[in-house]
């Protein structure tokens, strides 16, 4: 275990078997006593505590606002084998809620610092950090966990995790093997709002089943930004999107860095000028930074509530102590305290979990560009930069791929060709890869009459 | 000094975007008292220390037990045997150097015996896992001192929170779904002349397509009123006809096909909500008719003085309407038209706020207070917010029953395994006597009584943490007078992940 500045004295040299009288009293009552509301599978036993402490393996994704809370909640509920993944380093603006971090930790990887803190504050707990992107880890890694709980800040990452767990599912003659299911508990917060949900991949509604529940991202129309601004935000976007690339104030190819005060100051000044031109008020430094970095307000309390609800569900799933949440809870404390719990339904034709290749209806004279647009603009797919391949005349052909410049250049002309000209036929299978999922998605081309 | 202020702005940036610098200031001037540093207590305090309250004081006479350390992030095993207030203060203080932490190694009952005024100095008192008798004693002391009192408890998988405060006023409620205040029904003179400056029929296409929908509705409303005997569209049929009227106003191409005018589509979409007459909400009317509003004395809190001033405004300059809010939603328009329209509302709002200020001044004068007692910025904030008002109950009863059990047996039911079975019948007696006392004709299933014995007064960390977040945010609302707090009893059920708010 790593060194920390905390002068914590831990009983026993191994650090793994330190206990004291009564330590787990609050937890044991739920494991060793029978009760009227327990899960049908529940059996009171003294062995459940041992399972939690020694065997159960939990993965926490994210060591930020939700992640810090989750690690604490799990550790104090008896979980000891915990891994945490986070690709970020600590920033000063994290400190108002990510309580495992201190000013001296700024710049260090969140996963590392969070693990250190928990391990030294909670004797016996063994949090293993991974300073990585979730996409840098593979299925052998994810397969080892009993339960995965996410405290992510992006829908994209959620969809990726969702896709990963779906890819681990095993089917025997079309019947889902329950031992291949890894439950996914997902928490999300924004200001005073939050939600917690339980996903049993292959069985209950997945992230993509309810994609339309997420509010659309606010992107202002270009004509408003370019010639008809009304709000201070429009002025900032003008400077960010049009003025900065044109004037390259800090050098050629220097990208606008929302964390660089000099950059933000530059944007702020120009935004004020732009605003003055149109007599718009309200441009402040804080607003400028908020727009550039797409900042979402955050407080400790909402994260505490949502993480606690998620951790309770992890406990229920790990111990069968109670029937888990079925399956979505929404929380809002803007006006009083409001929660709403409901069962999100599976989408029959969900692009991620329904296993049925989706039909794409186009005419043979449609251009590939139209197909591409459908993949990115459809509310249920919302792909980012899909790469489309197909088997044409026995050979695997890349129709269009955006992420590698040379291939993009080579395949760009295909976008203005018709599907017929590209050699595609009715019933043809198309394979589509995208950042929103680790697996390739299969579609079936259906030529409309 | 400057460096500290800058780094605080950076550290608190994410929350300043929610409650602003003035909200943060009120937090930093607050002194919170926590009674009992159990897991629930320290979790609540953690969520107040992190956002930077000025100071906290923990009152706790207990010594730390092994069980305490097991579920509490702010107690370690080398503090076993030490006083719990002291041990927890150390690790909570460490969270945020901006906050000043204090502790009193004393039980609240002792303090109430020897020095009840001790509690008067706090902005808010949070009592956790307290027996009913202590709650009642504290409650009466804090009520007469007008100190808000939170009673919180995590009991098994149930979280409970009760707010006890004589009166709490919210100035900025930040309503999520507030209807806009556009005055389309009774346009004030400056708005009316602004509408008149538009000639939809004489405009070129570019201007026509970039006219704000508010103007479009206003113009068509004028037409409608002249054709319908000054009766605005009321029911669905009439609103449909009105929408159709607007649709006919869309420019047409040479072949008769309508142009793509998004601003007209916006107008059509907004017909439903825009045609609601500006009315003073009934909740506000009630406040206007209340004793505190009509009888302003030198003891009246500023809220009531401002409210009275607003009432005077409504009766005089407002001609029956509240001060104009001044903000308008974003809408399709060219910059100039939008800004000009926005300024019409903004200037009226400023005018109205100034009129309210004058009323405040004369009210203050009449009660012998200097005019600076209520700052102008407070009045502006106040005026713009004015126009905007098998269940879990069984767990509440069980919590009361459990308290009764404690009163009778000096312990909670089912703490030790061997007690669980026998305590069920004892707890049932408590439940029944409670129901009888309050003449409640309710049947409480035996399952709940069994479950509450099973809990054995356990305080699982995740329930404590949920309550910790909930209670802390409510406390922040009380301190900052922003956002509406719950009123007045909140119950969280971790078994079903549901909750309820009851007004008891």
């Amino acid at each position: 275990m790593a060194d920390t500045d905390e002068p914590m004295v831990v009983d026993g040299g191994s650090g793994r078997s330190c206990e004291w009288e009564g330590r787990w009293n609050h937890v044991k009552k739920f494991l060793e006593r029978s009760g009227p509301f327990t899960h049908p599978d529940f059996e009171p036993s003294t062995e459940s505590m041992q399972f939690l402490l020694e065997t159960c393996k939990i993965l926490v994704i994210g060591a930020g606002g939700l992640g810090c809370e989750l690690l604490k909640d799990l550790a104090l509920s008896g979980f000891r084998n915990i891994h945490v993944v986070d690709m970020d380093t600590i920033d000063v603006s994290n400190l108002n809620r990510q309580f495992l971090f201190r000013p001296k930790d700024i710049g260090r990887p969140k996963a590392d610092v969070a693990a250190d803190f928990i391990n030294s504050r909670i004797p016996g707990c063994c949090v293993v950090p991974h300073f990585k992107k979730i996409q840098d880890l593979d299925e052998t890694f994810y397969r080892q966990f009993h339960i995965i709980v996410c405290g992510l800040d992006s829908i994209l990452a959620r969809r990726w995790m969702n896709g990963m767990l779906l890819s681990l599912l095993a089917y025997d003659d079309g019947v889902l093997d329950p031992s291949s299911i890894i439950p996914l508990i997902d928490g999300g917060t924004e200001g005073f709002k939050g939600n917690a949900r339980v996903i049993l991949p292959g069985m209950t509604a997945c992230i993509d089943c309810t994609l339309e529940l997420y509010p659309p991202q606010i992107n202002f129309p270009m004509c408003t930004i370019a010639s008809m601004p009304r709000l201070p935000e429009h002025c900032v976007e003008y400077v960010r999107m049009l003025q900065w690339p044109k004037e390259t104030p800090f050098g050629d190819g220097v990208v606008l860095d929302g964390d660089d005060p000099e950059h933000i100051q530059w944007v702020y000044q120009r935004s004020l000028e732009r605003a003055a031109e149109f007599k718009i008020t309200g441009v402040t430094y804080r607003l400028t930074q908020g727009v550039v970095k797409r900042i979402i307000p955050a407080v400790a309390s909402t994260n505490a509530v949502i993480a606690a609800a998620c951790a309770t569900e992890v406990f229920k799933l790990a111990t069968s102590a109670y029937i888990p949440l079925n399956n979505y809870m929404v929380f809002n404390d803007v006006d009083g305290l409001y929660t709403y719990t409901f069962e999100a339904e599976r989408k029959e034709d969900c692009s991620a979990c329904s296993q049925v290749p989706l039909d794409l209806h186009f005419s043979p004279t449609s251009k590939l560009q139209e197909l591409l647009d459908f993949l990115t603009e459809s509310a249920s797919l919302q792909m980012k930069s899909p790469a489309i391949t197909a088997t044409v005349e026995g050979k695997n052909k890349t129709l269009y791929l955006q992420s590698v410049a040379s291939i993009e250049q080579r395949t760009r002309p295909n976008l203005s060709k018709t599907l017929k000209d590209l050699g595609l036929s009715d019933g043809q299978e198309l394979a589509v890869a995208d950042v929103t999922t680790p697996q390739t998605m299969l579609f079936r081309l259906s030529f409309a009459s | 000094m400057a460096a500290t202020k800058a780094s605080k702005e950076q550290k608190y940036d994410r929350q300043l975007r929610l409650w602003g610098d003035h909200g943060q200031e009120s937090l930093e001037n607050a002194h919170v008292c926590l009674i009992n540093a159990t897991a629930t207590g320290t979790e609540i305090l953690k969520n107040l220390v992190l956002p930077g309250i000025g100071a906290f004081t923990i009152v706790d006479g207990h010594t730390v037990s092994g069980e305490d350390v097991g579920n509490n992030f702010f107690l370690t095993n080398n503090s076993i045997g030490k006083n719990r207030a002291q041990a927890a203060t150390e690790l909570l203080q460490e969270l945020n150097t901006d906050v000043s932490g204090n502790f009193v190694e004393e039980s609240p009952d002792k303090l109430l015996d020897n020095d009840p005024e001790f509690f008067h100095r706090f902005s808010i008192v949070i009592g956790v896992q307290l027996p009913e008798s202590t709650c009642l004693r504290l409650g009466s002391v804090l009520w007469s001192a007008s100190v808000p009192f939170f009673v919180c408890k995590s009991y098994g998988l149930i979280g409970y929170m009760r707010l006890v405060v004589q009166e709490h006023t919210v100035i900025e409620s930040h309503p999520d779904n507030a209807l806009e205040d556009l005055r389309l029904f009774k346009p004030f003179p400056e708005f009316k002349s602004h509408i008149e400056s538009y000639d939809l029929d004489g405009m070129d296409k570019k201007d026509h397509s970039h006219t704000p929908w508010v103007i479009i509705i206003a113009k068509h409303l004028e037409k409608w009123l002249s054709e319908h005997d000054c009766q605005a569209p009321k029911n669905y049929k009439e609103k449909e006809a009105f929408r159709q009227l607007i649709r006919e106003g869309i420019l047409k191409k040479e072949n008769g096909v309508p142009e793509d005018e998004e601003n007209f589509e916006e107008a059509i979409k907004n017909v439903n909500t825009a045609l609601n007459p500006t009315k003073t909400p009934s909740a506000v009317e009630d406040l206007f008719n209340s004793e505190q509003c009509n009888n302003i004395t030198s003891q009246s809190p500023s809220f009531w003085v401002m409210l009275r001033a607003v009432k005077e405004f409504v009766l005089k300059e407002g001609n029956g309407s509240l001060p104009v809010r001044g903000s308008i939603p974003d809408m399709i328009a060219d910059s100039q038209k939008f800004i000009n329209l926005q300024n019409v509302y903004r200037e009226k709002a400023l005018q109205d706020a100034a009129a309210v200020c004058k009323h405040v001044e004369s009210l203050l004068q009449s009660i012998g207070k200097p005019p600076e007692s209520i700052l102008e910025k407070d009045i502006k904030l106040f005026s713009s917010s004015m126009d905007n008002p098998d269940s879990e109950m069984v767990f509440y009863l069980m919590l009361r029953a459990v308290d009764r059990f404690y009163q009778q047996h000096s312990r909670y039911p089912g703490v030790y395994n061997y007690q669980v079975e026998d305590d069920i019948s004892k707890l049932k007696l408590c439940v029944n006597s409670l129901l009888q006392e309050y003449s409640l004709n309710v049947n409480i299933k035996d399952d709940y009584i069994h479950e509450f014995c099973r809990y054995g007064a356990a305080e699982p960390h995740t329930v404590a943490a949920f309550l910790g977040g909930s209670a802390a945010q409510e406390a922040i609302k009380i301190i900052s007078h922003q956002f509406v707090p719950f009123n007045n009893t909140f119950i969280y059920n971790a078994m079903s992940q549901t909750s309820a708010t009851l007004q008891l």
Side-chain angles (χ1 to χ4, degrees), chain A residues 6 62-69 71 84 86 88-118, chain B residues 11 50 73 94-97:
Chain A
E6 300 246 343
L66 283 168
C68 289
E69 296 279 344
L71 289 171
V84 63
D86 195 309
D88 263 337
T89 55
I90 297 164
D91 177 73
V92 63
S93 66
N94 300 147
L95 301 177
N96 79 329
R97 62 203 183 279
Q98 299 174 22
F99 62 94
L100 299 176
F101 312 141
R102 298 289 174 273
K104 62 170 169 56
D105 299 318
I106 292 174
R108 287 185 59 200
K110 289 190 181 184
D112 293 347
V113 179
D116 282 351
F117 199 120
I118 295 284
Chain B
K11 178 162 80 168
L50 285 170
F73 193 74
E94 189 269 328
L95 279 175
N96 189 349
T97 49

Side-chain angles (χ1 to χ4, degrees), chain A residues 269-286:
Chain A
Q269 292 304 331
R270 305 280 162 320
S271 303
L272 280 172
E273 284 164 23
R274 174 89 173 154
E277 225 185 289
F278 292 88
K279 301 198 178 53
I280 297 171
T281 58
V283 174
T284 61
Y285 185 93
R286 188 179 290 160

